[in-house]
Amino acid sequence: MPYITTDDGTEIFYKDWGTGQPIIFSHGWPLSSDAWDVEMKLAADNGFRAIAHDRRGHGRSSQTWYGNDMDTYAADLDALVRALDLRDLIVVGHSTGGGEAVRFAARHGVGRVVKVATVGAVPPVMVQSDTNPEGTPIEAFDSIRDALLADRSQFFKDLSAQFFGTNRPGSKISQGQRDQFWRLGMQAGFAAVHDCVKAFSETDFTEDLKALDVPVFIAQGDDDQIVPIADAAEKAIKLVKNGQLKVYPGAPHGIAGPYQQELDKDLLAFWLS
């Protein structure tokens, strides 16, 4: 299996499908690159080179005790991009991966990144503070950490309902999708899963969004129960210079079902534009 090794010795697993202009995909918490398989095939089938990595501590990458923070995630992504010498690059990120993609593009991707797409992404910042009074109280993230410590497996099983919106009437998401969420989450290292809660909730991406000078496609469902749209996409679009916001009525956080079908059409149109 293909890996790169970062400066601190962490092995980062990645997939590399197809040929053409590169698109790199960053996955959400607590998943792995497998979460992007459908979109990777879509990209490769349409003349792109699709690449997705397992963030450190997740999937098949090293289960590190250290470096489970957004600056290191972005540096790891930069190491992969440089190892593969990717240019004319499109970056796509979901949820936590959206934060990783934005920070990478702003701080490492100048001259390499030509487009950015985020889906249900955590920027600009999730946690409530004096400067972000509309944010989610820190107690909500503390409860996630407590639930992970108490019974990670059951927590992921329960969380999958909110993630995919199966607790809403008329949901068309299968039990198989929920089981896959649990499976990928349980593959991740415990330290990374726990520490990443702080990374995705408390990292402020405001200046990263402002720094982007390439086209940015921001997508989110308006029934996202994981990352509230009012504190995410609706704020992020006001911070980027060249952005397009697409809101998907009734769509959840997880990319699946009818939401995935519509989103993938829009992503392909953005890649090709």
Side-chain angles (χ1 to χ4, degrees):
M1 294 190 292
Y3 287 87
I4 61 126
T5 302
T6 67
D7 289 343
D8 69 359
T10 300
E11 291 189 318
I12 301 295
F13 169 84
Y14 68 96
K15 303 179 182 184
D16 191 346
W17 300 352
T19 59
Q21 182 182 9
I23 303 176
I24 200 158
F25 295 85
S26 292
H27 63 81
W29 175 91
L31 308 176
S32 75
S33 58
D34 290 358
W36 281 119
D37 279 355
V38 172
E39 288 70 31
M40 287 187 67
K41 185 176 188 305
L42 175 70
D45 285 346
N46 283 276
F48 294 95
R49 180 183 178 186
I51 301 158
H53 65 297
D54 292 354
R55 189 173 301 118
R56 68 167 55 210
H58 297 70
R60 289 140 290 200
S61 293
S62 299
Q63 292 194 7
T64 53
W65 181 256
Y66 45 83
N68 301 307
D69 60 82
M70 202 57 68
D71 285 348
T72 306
Y73 295 157
D76 289 346
L77 182 53
D78 182 53
L80 175 60
V81 167
R82 292 182 181 278
L84 300 180
D85 194 23
L86 303 178
R87 301 178 186 275
D88 195 27
L89 174 64
I90 300 170
V91 294
V92 181
H94 174 237
S95 194
T96 300
E100 178 185 78
V102 165
R103 178 142 296 182
F104 161 75
R107 301 193 180 185
H108 303 281
V110 176
R112 289 180 182 265
V113 173
V114 296
K115 292 179 185 176
V116 176
T118 66
V119 184
V122 296
V125 59
M126 289 191 71
V127 74
Q128 186 182 70
S129 66
D130 291 342
T131 56
N132 186 41
E134 307 89 358
T136 302
I138 188 67
E139 289 78 10
F141 303 109
D142 289 340
S143 70
I144 292 174
R145 285 182 278 259
D146 289 344
L148 289 168
L149 289 166
D151 188 343
R152 173 170 60 144
S153 181
Q154 189 60 49
F155 174 70
F156 285 158
K157 285 181 178 291
D158 295 340
L159 184 63
S160 68
Q162 293 174 289
F163 191 89
F164 290 114
T166 61
N167 55 352
R168 301 301 202 216
S171 171
K172 295 181 172 60
I173 304 303
S174 69
Q175 183 62 46
Q177 289 279 3
R178 295 184 61 180
D179 292 346
Q180 174 73 338
F181 176 89
W182 173 85
R183 185 182 73 85
L184 297 182
M186 292 303 292
Q187 286 179 346
F190 188 79
V193 167
H194 185 274
D195 293 353
C196 190
V197 177
K198 180 179 178 66
F200 72 64
S201 64
E202 297 183 41
T203 305
D204 190 338
F205 300 94
T206 300
E207 296 306 315
D208 301 299
L209 290 167
K210 290 179 179 179
L212 297 178
D213 59 1
V214 298
V216 181
F217 177 66
I218 299 173
Q220 189 162 12
D222 68 1
D223 193 30
D224 190 326
Q225 300 173 65
I226 305 298
V227 179
I229 189 171
D231 205 39
E234 291 179 358
K235 286 186 176 181
I237 192 61
K238 298 175 182 177
L239 296 170
V240 297
K241 299 180 179 71
N242 183 12
Q244 173 189 353
L245 172 63
K246 176 67 181 288
V247 177
Y248 297 81
H253 187 66
I255 303 172
Y259 172 40
Q260 183 174 40
Q261 294 169 13
E262 185 178 359
L263 172 67
D264 285 357
K265 291 177 183 177
D266 293 334
L267 283 174
L268 180 59
F270 178 68
W271 301 336
L272 292 169
S273 64

